[in-house]
Amino acid sequence: MEIIGKISLKGIGAQPAANSVTDPHDVAHIYGTARRFLIGTTTYGDYTKFQGDFEAVNTVNGEAFRSNSLVLPELVEKMLVAALLAEGAKAGKVKTQNTPEVAGGEAQAPVEFAFAIGVRKTEVKEGSVSRGYEYTIRPLIQLKGADPLAHLRDQVKALPAPNAKPAAENKASEKHASKK
């Protein structure tokens, strides 16, 4: 697995060339835990960059990538931003009426996700700037709030309580106390 600065379809080699898509197919599986998002601007317009822990697999060549930054196609981006804001509202970190102006900081709560991103051919009209394909999204799991400490909490629950007496010793103490 290669660690890269930012996962994007172009960055993992999964963005098809213009007018090259003939049959619908998946190009990537992207999954992880998004902790927050930031809005940026380029000469091509606004974009949303997610921060968290992410992995991506180029489903055409099988290459795997890992990063703490992620940029997604607009269709997926909107779903993930909405989930982050909703989880932030549940956690009391952001009011539901707030919009992406709250982006950044710790306005959101973590969200786990997994998507299959695919492409399908579209009509190219003369004079248009169409790429000849559009992205398709198939959730692999339901978007849900993430509890980053859940696995540790489960491990700690399985440990004996500090200063706990073994069960046999507790029963002996109880019998002795009841005789008094």
Side-chain angles (χ1 to χ4, degrees), residues 2 16 29 34 36 42 44 54 70 73 75 80 94-95 106 120 126 144 166 168 177 179:
E2 185 177 346
H29 289 175
R36 66 186 205 152
T42 69
Y44 300 107
F54 311 107
L70 172 69
L75 179 61
L80 198 49
V94 63
K95 296 183 176 121
E106 294 303 321
R120 68 176 167 214
E126 193 167 321
K144 62 182 181 180
K179 289 181 180 178

Side-chain angles (χ1 to χ4, degrees), residues 19-76:
N19 302 309
S20 67
V21 175
T22 55
D23 296 318
H25 63 280
D26 286 351
V27 293
H29 289 175
I30 299 177
Y31 47 92
T33 302
R35 292 185 179 14
R36 66 186 205 152
F37 66 92
L38 305 168
I39 297 179
T41 303
T42 69
T43 55
Y44 300 107
D46 291 344
Y47 69 94
T48 301
K49 179 168 51 171
F50 297 94
Q51 294 181 326
D53 298 301
F54 311 107
E55 289 187 5
V57 177
N58 178 322
T59 56
V60 175
N61 63 23
E63 290 183 79
F65 302 87
R66 186 170 196 160
S67 181
N68 62 0
S69 294
L70 172 69
V71 175
L72 294 166
E74 187 176 358
L75 179 61
V76 187

Side-chain angles (χ1 to χ4, degrees), residues 71-149:
V71 175
L72 294 166
E74 187 176 358
L75 179 61
V76 187
E77 175 185 291
K78 288 180 180 181
M79 290 171 58
L80 198 49
V81 164
L84 279 165
L85 290 173
E87 286 302 315
K90 282 187 209 172
K93 292 185 177 184
V94 63
K95 296 183 176 121
T96 52
Q97 70 268 20
N98 284 4
T99 58
E101 288 84 46
V102 302
E106 294 303 321
Q108 302 88 34
V111 172
E112 293 178 343
F113 69 93
F115 292 110
I117 299 178
V119 291
R120 68 176 167 214
K121 184 177 181 171
T122 59
E123 296 277 332
V124 178
K125 296 178 180 156
E126 193 167 321
S128 79
V129 292
S130 171
R131 303 176 299 242
Y133 65 87
E134 64 185 1
Y135 289 109
T136 61
I137 308 306
R138 191 175 74 252
L140 299 174
I141 65 169
Q142 183 176 351
L143 290 174
K144 62 182 181 180
D147 183 351
L149 297 177

